[in-house]
Amino acid sequence: MSTVPSAPASQGSTTTAGKGKRPRPPFGVPALSVTAALIALFSLLPLGYVAFMTAATGWDTAVGLIFRPRVGELLGNTILLILITVPLCLVLGVGGAWLVERTVLRGHRVWAVALAAPLAIPAFVNSYAWVSVVPSLEGIWSGVLIATLSYFPLVYIPAAAMLGRLDPAIEQSAASLGLGPWAVFFRVVLPQLRIAMTGGALLVALHLLAEYGVFAMIRFDTFTTAIMTQFQSTFNGTAGNMLASVLVLFCLALLLLEVRSRGTARYARIGSGAQAKAVRLGLGVFQLPAQLALLALTVLAFGLPFWLVLRWVLLGGSDIWDAAEFIPALLQTLGYGLAGALATTVVAFPLAYLAVRHPGWFSKSLELSNYITSSLPGIVVGLAFVTISIRLAPGVYQTAGLLIAAYVLLFLPRSLVNLRSGLAQAPKELDEAARSLGKSPWVAFLKVTLRLSAPAAAGGAALVFLAIVNELTATLLLSPNGTSTLATEFWSKSSEIDYPGAAPYALLMILLSAPMTYLLFQQSKKVAGQ
């Protein structure tokens, strides 16, 4: 991102900026810091809930509940699921990105979008599509199949973006030293993708830990399905809380593992001049196998589930479009999505502003606290809000405000990352220049900083909206009585094996998600410098 030099002051000017004193922001740094600190403390509520419930249970009881055979079974299922699914997603994501960005693949621009398209289909809708055709699907391998097809784009998108940004000069130098294409890929290209691969692998693993609908449909027990079962049978039982504590520790362990696996090596181009253009490798006789492989992957991950949803819609006919059920679910989904996106953007602004304009250990610590909380599964955040609201503020339980607050905690980083990039493109020098021309702090902020960061804020809000539309577990736990969203109505009907009745809700979620998925893909390319 380019930096903008500060505007020179007019001759004879006696402005504050001309004296070298930095103007204060209109809202004041102390007030902003206090607000951001309160937001960070609020975001730590789920972790505090887990710690409190573990301590309140008592050491002997907690040990007995944690070290029992059922927990060992769930732990084995979860570890096995991650150990199989994550490598498969890495192979498909990195392999697809390399074919699209580094080879003479016919139609590579079409394939670039097609490989990101499966993110438009919520994972539990993907599971519904497969189960509606093959009801016998169950167990670990069914979970691996559906999870891999649903989540490999989480690796593909950052890997493709990073491949497009990397300077190919290193690869060309390696080739000139006699290394073949495969040696160049494994010894030069792959190490440069470490950050994209570890980040994508972390996202896939966290999604596996948080996912409920996919594994409930195929009757495969994970921590999330077990916690939901405990909650439904004993409401806020001690056993469910202990399962949640193990799940939280698992998530934190994955975060630490990802940080350590990044390594310390950095790949950057230093020097002037334009970056060399990558020389795409010819596929030769492998052109047809590559096309067939990508076709099979996109058909299985996107084409087949989308067609099955359309098939159930056609089989259901006009009877499944019941306005009394369909319209309220759509309107409430849009309402919660818009309100949650707006609230998340507003809450993220103080954190993003401090991180960009006043970087340091304080702002970084506040930002990190939100990333940690957002890595927790929705069911843990939901349980925390259920327990805290019932004990401390019973009137807040099952209200729209509480549900939106949970959305804010779950999806805050999606807005925070975008706001940071937007504020970085609105340097403080421009704000100072506006004030030197006589504008008040608030006018300068609104007309310069807010205006320049608005597109990035809108992009982050769109991603939060997408996440809320497809959110299931926290909504099931916290939504007010009588609430019906597309996700909850879909879940209610699919749980009753009413596949035609669930199809309209699935189709609408896909149609709402598709443009947001495309926005995410384009944004990743923009961030990568393409």
Side-chain angles (χ1 to χ4, degrees):
M1 290 173 285
S2 61
T3 57
V4 181
S6 57
S10 302
Q11 291 184 0
S13 172
T14 57
T15 60
T16 303
K19 296 179 181 178
K21 295 180 181 179
R22 183 173 299 174
R24 295 169 60 84
F27 20 74
V29 175
L32 201 65
S33 299
V34 171
T35 302
L38 291 175
I39 293 171
L41 288 175
F42 179 70
S43 71
L44 292 175
L45 279 178
L47 279 177
Y49 150 78
V50 171
F52 174 80
M53 294 304 298
T54 303
T57 300
W59 177 255
D60 293 336
T61 304
V63 169
L65 289 173
I66 292 175
F67 293 95
R68 56 192 172 118
R70 175 59 171 166
V71 176
E73 176 189 350
L74 296 174
L75 189 62
N77 286 350
T78 303
I79 292 175
L80 192 61
L81 182 68
I82 291 175
L83 289 179
I84 299 174
T85 304
V86 170
L88 287 175
C89 288
L90 286 171
V91 170
L92 294 176
V94 174
W98 182 76
L99 284 172
V100 167
E101 297 292 338
R102 282 291 197 264
T103 69
V104 186
L105 181 72
R106 293 174 186 169
H108 64 91
R109 288 187 175 87
V110 175
W111 288 120
V113 178
L115 290 174
L119 280 184
I121 301 182
F124 54 84
V125 172
N126 204 345
S127 183
Y128 146 85
W130 282 87
V131 170
S132 67
V133 176
V134 189
S136 60
L137 279 180
E138 62 178 55
I140 178 68
W141 293 109
S142 298
V144 167
L145 170 67
I146 297 170
T148 300
L149 295 176
S150 298
Y151 297 137
F152 82 86
L154 295 174
V155 176
Y156 161 75
I157 290 177
M162 185 163 282
L163 276 173
R165 182 182 62 188
L166 291 177
D167 191 335
I170 302 177
E171 302 163 51
Q172 294 166 5
S173 298
S176 68
L177 294 174
L179 294 181
W182 286 109
V184 170
F185 175 76
F186 284 105
R187 295 176 60 179
V188 178
V189 176
L190 209 57
Q192 296 183 82
L193 296 179
R194 175 180 290 181
I195 294 177
M197 291 172 63
T198 55
L202 175 65
L203 286 175
V204 172
L206 291 176
H207 274 77
L208 293 175
L209 291 180
E211 183 57 51
Y212 168 68
V214 169
F215 304 124
M217 281 188 176
I218 61 173
R219 299 175 292 279
F220 178 65
D221 290 338
T222 64
F223 278 105
T224 304
T225 60
I227 292 170
M228 182 64 81
T229 301
Q230 287 281 347
F231 177 82
Q232 291 171 339
S233 60
T234 60
F235 188 61
N236 193 26
T238 305
N241 290 325
M242 291 303 98
L243 289 177
S245 67
V246 176
L247 184 56
V248 168
L249 290 176
F250 209 135
C251 291
L252 295 179
L254 285 176
L255 286 175
L256 292 175
L257 181 63
E258 190 270 340
V259 170
R260 289 181 62 87
S261 64
R262 289 180 194 171
T264 57
R266 292 293 179 266
Y267 299 88
R269 179 176 178 272
I270 302 174
S272 60
Q275 176 174 303
K277 187 176 181 180
V279 177
R280 292 178 174 267
L281 298 175
L283 289 175
V285 296
F286 295 103
Q287 181 72 235
L288 181 59
Q291 296 284 343
L292 293 176
L294 293 180
L295 178 62
L297 181 58
T298 52
V299 166
L300 291 174
F302 181 81
L304 183 62
F306 185 65
W307 162 246
L308 291 173
V309 169
L310 286 178
R311 175 176 174 269
W312 284 115
V313 169
L314 295 174
L315 289 175
S318 59
D319 295 338
I320 60 176
W321 297 92
D322 186 354
E325 294 182 355
F326 164 75
I327 293 180
L330 176 60
L331 293 178
Q332 290 193 48
T333 299
L334 295 175
Y336 277 113
L338 293 173
L342 177 62
T344 305
T345 303
V346 171
V347 169
F349 183 83
L351 297 165
Y353 192 92
L354 282 178
V356 174
R357 297 294 177 85
H358 303 277
W361 68 268
F362 179 71
S363 59
K364 195 166 187 64
S365 299
L366 297 181
E367 190 178 3
L368 181 62
S369 67
N370 291 279
Y371 288 130
I372 292 175
T373 299
S374 68
S375 70
L376 302 180
I379 195 167
V380 174
V381 175
L383 283 176
F385 274 46
V386 167
T387 303
I388 294 171
S389 61
I390 288 177
R391 294 192 177 192
L392 301 181
V396 177
Y397 176 59
Q398 285 192 323
T399 61
L402 188 65
L403 180 57
I404 291 173
Y407 290 151
V408 170
L409 291 195
L410 285 170
F411 308 125
L412 188 59
R414 301 187 182 215
S415 179
L416 183 56
V417 170
N418 282 268
L419 270 174
R420 282 194 60 175
S421 65
L423 287 169
Q425 295 179 15
K428 57 181 177 292
E429 288 83 0
L430 294 180
D431 211 10
E432 294 169 7
R435 297 186 204 182
S436 71
L437 296 174
K439 301 295 183 182
S440 67
W442 273 109
V443 171
F445 170 76
L446 292 174
K447 289 192 174 182
V448 178
T449 303
L450 200 60
R451 183 177 179 180
L452 290 176
S453 59
L463 296 179
V464 174
F465 176 84
L466 167 63
I468 292 174
V469 167
N470 297 329
E471 207 288 321
L472 181 62
T473 50
T475 307
L476 289 174
L477 290 173
L478 297 172
S479 60
N481 291 329
T483 297
S484 62
T485 66
L486 294 176
T488 58
E489 283 299 303
F490 164 82
W491 184 251
S492 174
K493 293 185 180 298
S494 61
S495 298
E496 297 171 356
I497 321 297
D498 183 6
Y499 295 136
Y505 303 97
L507 179 60
L508 280 172
M509 282 189 284
I510 294 173
L511 294 178
L512 287 174
S513 300
M516 306 304 174
T517 301
Y518 183 74
L519 173 65
L520 173 62
F521 174 73
Q522 292 298 327
Q523 186 182 49
S524 70
K525 292 288 186 182
K526 184 178 179 180
V527 170
Q530 292 194 6

